Amino acid sequence: IEDEKESSSSRSETIKAIVPVFHQYCAQSKFSMVDLLIPFLDRTSGSNAVKFQQSMVNALSSLKQDDCSVLADFMCLLLARRVTKVYQMKEFLENLEPVIQINCVRKLCARLDVALIGQSVSNIVESPTSQFCMEVSGLILQTLSNKLVQGYIQESDVSSLCLQLWQDLMVLQATSIQQANTHGDDKMFTICKNRIDESLIGVQHLLPIPVFLASVTTLIEDDEGNSDLCKSRALRMISERISEVDPMAPEAALFTELLPLILGLLQNDANDSDVIVQQDAAVVIERFVRSFYLLASVQPKKSEGSILEALKVCAERLSELCSQKEDDIRSKLACSFALCTATLVKYLKARSLPLLPKIMDSVINFLSFRKLDCGDGDTQPLVHASMLQTLKAIIESLPQFMIPHLGKILTPAILPSFLNESNDIQATLTTRVPARQLLPALSRALKECCNATEYEIILSLATSSIENTSSRHEIGAVKANVLKIILLSCDFDASLMDQISKALVAMVMKISEAQLRQIYTSFREWRGDDNSSRKFAFWALSAALSKELKSIFIPCFTSVLNDAISELEFAVPLLCTQIQRAKKAKVGSMDSLLYLPALISCLNQIFSADAREGGNWVREDGDKRYHSFLEPLTKLLLARVPSDFPFPTGASENAYQQLIVDSGGLVSCIVSLASAAGNDILWKPLNHAILIACGNEDHAEIRRAGLTCLLELIRTLGEEYMVLIPECLPVLSELLEAEEETAALARDCVELSEDLLGESLEESL
């Protein structure tokens, strides 16, 4: 064997001849076979060593009296002494029959199971390292990846051997999981576990289904011989295999026959040791129903008896877990039962009605009294999400039976859960539950709400419910409920106005003009005359309606025309008087102007809509209506807006800019009024008022506001406004010499006018 002059075939024949002799000798003595082979390993090197190892593997595999134990020991010896790479050993084994490779892998599994817990391996590896364990697991994985071995496993006539291999891997996996958890800081144990997992999954998918199910059934039923971890792994493999089976295939019936056994696992009172088994049993049932009934294009023969029984068990166990004292273990179990229940309800639909109250009470009880911030780690959010998923499934499957439960779902304790975007339960509730049922429940629920977030959720639900309802008749029947929601929200917090406006507009788009006028009249009566916050809400909602409905809304606005003019006139002396307001006005009088920005915005929309229709509404009553608005609006250009002006969004650093100049403010409103007026006779008093603002000697901001207004008028009305430019030139001439910002605005007015006129105005300045 040592003589390199000898041919390879000669050395192989020598090894083949001496191995049976060594084996027979060892059987009659205290020596082990490996003991006799170690000197040969020590005295061979280089290519000669590799050839020796290959020949030895071939010879050991041919021992008829051995079951590959010696071959496995030799492999372990090579790995322990690190004289051969794993890929080379894989090549050694590839030359052997598949049955020998499988037997060798079985023996390697047994030795690796011992090595993982740190015990001696066949007296050849005294203190196995994590490196050794990792390499053995790699050899197992690579051997089982061999196409010939995989084809052999799939043959039905060798199912017994392959079943034994699968069970060996199951035991080895349980050990590897424990050691990986124990030695979390050693990545090699984790790698080892992952390789064993991959090997097991590969064998599992290769086993014929009858053989596979027979094996896992044995593991599950054996209460004494198998640990809960093994049972758990068996259940997980069932759930993984279910998704691969055609529901109409003959093998599908075998999974159905397993249901009573799985249900038996769910009915036991869970202690700490078998919680994981119950979790995986619930997952098996959920996967079975989902794969065979919910997702299948063609469903197999019904198993309603077993599925109904499963729902009864899940509902009962869920009720128990949700009523018990909270802990991490039972929370995880509740999560599994909740998700299983959700899938069962989706399939059974109305057949689950007898159990619906129990399920709803359990879910609502959990969501009401278990807070997201009181669980351990990530467990509580996970359980919370599973409960929401169950609730969503029930709403999707049984929306017509939600009336008794809507009041419980919409309580302040549960409403924050609606913010969970991953479940999108808001969309489910508003698309599945009819508006005639949901909107009355929302109006009742609003009375219990106590913060802006809860109000926002209710308003969002109401808006979505209205938008998802195509029937005008249905919305007309519940418009009183929507109006109640809107008015209660207005009284609660002005900051909710955007969401309130969306709800109102959504309803208005689904009703007739006659119904709109009725609602608007009710709004006016609710507003009253002395409540500033209600005035703000009224005009803000009027602005939203006018923006959406445009000229359609003008007849409604006409009914409050006098209110609008009166409230503009009320604001003028408070903001424009030269006398100190602290001496003139009552305490808190400035707060009464909360409504003013909303009123100006509303008028801007009304005037713009009327301008598109020709301006007939503004010019009614011999232009009196136009002049009624013109006077207070132009006076407000001279306003002195205090820094603490009560804007709905809070105090502003530049209150005058926000109220008067910014888009949608007073300047925009005046320009829209001029557009609706439509002739230079009506523009003349407007132009005069603007020039007064431009010439204000005391306040630069008023001058700039006047110039901004003039610039926008020229830009909007164009050549038609040029007849009034001669009146403006003396003022513009003076302002061209003012401070830089004012002069720039004046220059813009002159340049724009020159462009429209087509001639220079320099000589006229």
Side-chain angles (χ1 to χ4, degrees):
I1 293 172
E2 293 177 353
D3 189 355
E4 294 185 2
K5 295 180 180 179
E6 293 287 341
S7 66
S8 298
S9 58
S10 176
R11 286 197 295 269
S12 296
E13 289 298 324
T14 304
I15 293 172
K16 186 176 180 180
I18 65 171
V19 162
V21 178
F22 283 180
H23 188 257
Q24 183 178 3
Y25 172 77
C26 290
Q28 300 171 359
S29 68
K30 64 179 180 180
F31 290 104
S32 71
M33 185 72 174
V34 176
D35 289 336
L36 299 181
L37 299 179
I38 288 177
F40 290 95
L41 282 177
D42 293 339
R43 298 175 68 175
T44 55
S45 61
S47 60
N48 194 30
V50 174
K51 293 175 182 178
F52 166 74
Q53 294 163 15
Q54 175 70 75
S55 300
M56 187 60 66
V57 167
N58 293 337
L60 292 175
S61 66
S62 63
L63 289 175
K64 295 182 180 180
Q65 302 87 353
D66 186 68
D67 55 359
C68 292
S69 293
V70 178
L71 177 59
D73 287 342
F74 183 66
M75 292 290 188
C76 290
L77 177 65
L78 295 179
L79 290 175
R81 295 170 69 96
R82 306 188 71 176
V83 297
T84 310
K85 301 294 184 184
V86 172
Y87 76 89
Q88 292 175 318
M89 300 178 69
K90 175 198 172 188
E91 293 174 356
F92 294 164
L93 291 177
E94 282 179 346
N95 297 321
L96 308 180
E97 294 293 327
V99 64
I100 295 176
Q101 293 187 54
I102 292 174
N103 276 318
C104 182
V105 167
R106 287 194 62 210
K107 298 304 178 181
L108 287 173
C109 287
R111 283 148 180 76
L112 179 56
D113 189 61
V114 172
L116 282 170
I117 59 178
Q119 294 183 3
S120 172
V121 178
S122 301
N123 295 322
I124 56 173
V125 184
E126 295 295 335
S127 301
T129 64
S130 59
Q131 174 77 27
F132 171 78
C133 294
M134 184 182 71
E135 292 189 347
V136 174
S137 66
L139 180 58
I140 291 172
L141 175 60
Q142 291 194 30
T143 303
L144 293 177
S145 300
N146 188 318
K147 297 296 182 183
L148 290 176
V149 172
Q150 291 179 349
Y152 188 82
I153 292 174
Q154 289 178 306
E155 295 178 12
S156 58
D157 56 345
V158 294
S159 57
S160 175
L161 173 62
C162 298
L163 199 55
Q164 292 171 350
L165 170 64
W166 182 80
Q167 290 174 333
D168 291 339
L169 287 169
M170 282 283 293
V171 174
L172 181 58
Q173 186 193 48
T175 305
S176 69
I177 291 173
Q178 292 174 346
Q179 294 305 310
N181 293 336
T182 302
H183 304 281
D185 55 339
D186 192 335
K187 293 183 179 180
M188 292 188 182
F189 280 106
T190 303
I191 294 172
C192 181
K193 180 190 80 67
N194 293 339
R195 287 174 174 175
I196 295 167
D197 287 344
E198 190 175 345
S199 302
L200 181 58
I201 291 171
V203 172
Q204 170 195 328
H205 291 307
L206 293 171
L207 284 176
I209 288 178
V211 176
F212 167 73
L213 290 180
S215 178
V216 294
T217 301
T218 302
L219 289 174
I220 294 170
E221 289 178 334
D222 187 0
D223 292 329
E224 297 181 0
N226 292 307
S227 66
D228 289 333
L229 188 58
C230 285
K231 291 183 180 180
S232 172
R233 283 302 306 160
L235 290 167
R236 291 181 190 181
M237 289 180 179
I238 294 174
S239 65
E240 291 168 3
R241 198 71 184 265
I242 283 174
S243 59
E244 303 171 3
V245 178
D246 182 354
M248 300 306 297
E251 293 88 350
L254 299 175
F255 286 95
T256 304
E257 293 172 3
L258 273 181
L259 283 181
L261 175 63
I262 307 300
L263 284 176
L265 298 175
L266 295 181
Q267 291 172 322
N268 300 327
D269 290 334
N271 51 46
D272 291 351
S273 62
D274 63 6
V275 161
I276 190 171
V277 175
Q278 292 202 9
Q279 279 184 268
D280 291 319
V283 171
V284 170
I285 293 174
E286 192 274 340
R287 188 70 61 86
F288 171 80
V289 176
R290 179 181 296 277
S291 299
F292 282 18
Y293 296 100
L294 289 182
L295 300 180
S297 56
V298 180
Q299 295 183 352
K301 184 179 179 181
K302 303 292 184 182
S303 305
E304 290 183 10
S306 298
I307 297 175
L308 273 172
E309 183 62 29
L311 182 60
K312 290 179 184 178
V313 173
C314 287
E316 188 63 37
R317 297 291 289 121
L318 188 61
S319 178
E320 293 173 7
L321 292 166
C322 289
S323 61
Q324 292 174 355
K325 184 178 179 181
E326 182 178 6
D327 62 58
D328 192 48
I329 294 176
R330 282 169 176 75
S331 290
K332 291 179 180 178
L333 187 56
C335 175
S336 299
F337 278 114
L339 293 175
C340 183
T341 300
T343 301
L344 293 172
V345 170
K346 279 185 180 180
Y347 168 65
L348 292 171
K349 291 186 170 59
R351 288 163 289 179
S352 62
L353 280 177
L355 295 166
L356 183 60
K358 181 184 285 291
I359 297 171
M360 289 297 292
D361 288 346
S362 301
V363 173
I364 290 170
N365 177 61
F366 182 92
L367 294 175
S368 298
F369 300 106
R370 308 285 178 92
K371 302 301 180 183
L372 276 175
D373 56 354
C374 63
D376 294 333
D378 297 329
T379 300
Q380 196 63 15
L382 179 64
V383 182
H384 201 270
S386 69
M387 293 297 173
L388 287 177
Q389 186 66 31
T390 305
L391 183 59
K392 179 182 176 181
I394 294 171
I395 295 170
E396 286 178 341
S397 306
L398 303 168
Q400 64 272 40
F401 300 102
M402 287 294 102
I403 295 179
H405 308 288
L406 287 176
K408 301 174 185 177
I409 294 173
L410 298 172
T411 57
I414 295 182
L415 282 177
S417 301
F418 283 59
L419 299 175
N420 189 321
E421 295 180 359
S422 61
N423 280 287
D424 200 14
I425 197 166
Q426 288 196 52
T428 303
L429 195 63
T430 55
T431 54
R432 301 292 294 171
V433 179
R436 67 179 184 277
Q437 297 178 2
L438 181 58
L439 290 171
L442 290 172
S443 66
R444 292 190 295 270
L446 202 61
K447 295 179 181 178
E448 305 296 326
C449 296
C450 56
N451 61 57
T453 300
E454 294 164 4
Y455 270 80
E456 285 182 1
I457 294 171
I458 294 291
L459 287 166
S460 177
L461 289 168
T463 304
S464 298
S465 180
I466 296 167
E467 291 174 343
N468 292 325
T469 302
S470 58
S471 171
R472 291 196 170 195
H473 174 74
E474 188 173 358
I475 293 299
V478 293
K479 66 179 185 295
N481 298 107
V482 180
L483 189 59
K484 184 178 179 181
I485 293 171
I486 290 171
L487 297 182
L488 285 173
S489 301
C490 287
D491 281 333
F492 180 77
D493 191 346
S495 66
L496 298 169
M497 198 50 59
D498 287 345
Q499 195 67 52
I500 296 170
S501 299
K502 291 178 183 178
L504 177 61
V505 169
M507 178 182 67
V508 167
M509 300 302 289
K510 297 290 178 74
I511 61 178
S512 65
E513 289 185 44
Q515 290 174 317
L516 170 60
R517 287 193 291 272
Q518 292 174 0
I519 287 176
Y520 199 65
T521 300
S522 300
F523 251 143
R524 174 61 185 89
E525 293 172 356
W526 165 82
R527 187 198 77 170
D529 296 318
D530 301 323
N531 190 316
S532 60
S533 62
R534 286 192 174 187
K535 283 185 179 182
F536 160 71
F538 177 79
W539 292 118
L541 293 176
S542 297
L545 290 174
S546 59
K547 181 179 180 180
E548 188 69 31
L549 301 177
K550 297 179 173 57
S551 60
I552 297 174
F553 182 67
I554 290 178
C556 286
F557 184 81
T558 304
S559 65
V560 296
L561 177 63
N562 292 332
D563 292 338
I565 295 171
S566 298
E567 289 174 1
L568 285 174
E569 292 173 344
F570 173 77
V572 169
L574 284 174
L575 293 174
C576 301
T577 181
Q578 301 300 317
I579 303 174
Q580 290 293 327
R581 288 188 301 274
K583 298 179 180 179
K584 187 77 175 178
K586 296 180 180 179
V587 176
S589 60
M590 190 57 62
D591 291 337
S592 64
L593 294 182
L594 176 66
Y595 68 86
L596 187 58
L599 174 58
I600 291 173
S601 176
C602 178
L603 290 173
N604 181 30
Q605 298 294 338
I606 291 292
F607 296 152
S608 297
D610 187 45
R612 287 188 288 270
E613 298 295 322
N616 294 324
W617 181 80
V618 163
R619 295 192 298 269
E620 276 191 13
D621 300 330
D623 302 331
K624 287 183 180 179
R625 184 172 292 173
Y626 171 78
H627 290 289
S628 297
F629 284 115
L630 178 63
E631 183 178 357
L633 287 174
T634 52
K635 284 182 178 179
L636 286 173
L637 277 175
L638 307 175
R640 300 297 298 137
V641 184
S643 59
D644 60 347
F645 184 87
F647 288 106
T649 55
S652 172
E653 293 182 1
N654 195 336
Y656 184 88
Q657 178 79 16
Q658 183 173 339
L659 181 65
I660 306 299
V661 181
D662 286 351
S663 177
L666 182 66
V667 168
S668 300
C669 185
I670 292 174
V671 173
S672 298
L673 176 63
S675 298
N679 66 70
D680 59 311
I681 296 175
L682 296 178
W683 292 338
K684 194 173 184 67
L686 169 61
N687 190 64
H688 179 70
I690 291 173
L691 292 177
I692 291 175
C694 291
N696 188 286
E697 298 179 354
D698 298 324
H699 302 289
E701 63 182 7
I702 295 178
R703 292 195 295 273
R704 290 193 292 270
L707 285 168
T708 301
C709 190
L710 179 60
L711 181 62
E712 290 301 317
L713 284 170
I714 296 171
R715 187 175 287 147
T716 302
L717 303 177
E719 294 180 0
E720 297 180 22
Y721 200 74
M722 290 300 97
V723 297
L724 299 173
I725 286 300
E727 298 179 12
C728 303
L729 292 178
V731 176
L732 291 174
S733 178
E734 292 182 14
L735 294 176
L736 286 172
E737 299 176 1
E739 73 278 4
E740 183 178 351
E741 189 175 351
T742 302
L745 286 170
R747 194 160 37 251
D748 289 341
C749 291
V750 172
E751 291 174 355
L752 184 55
S753 299
E754 289 176 337
D755 290 341
L756 293 169
L757 291 169
E759 60 182 65
S760 174
L761 296 174
E762 186 174 352
E763 294 181 0
S764 302
L765 294 172

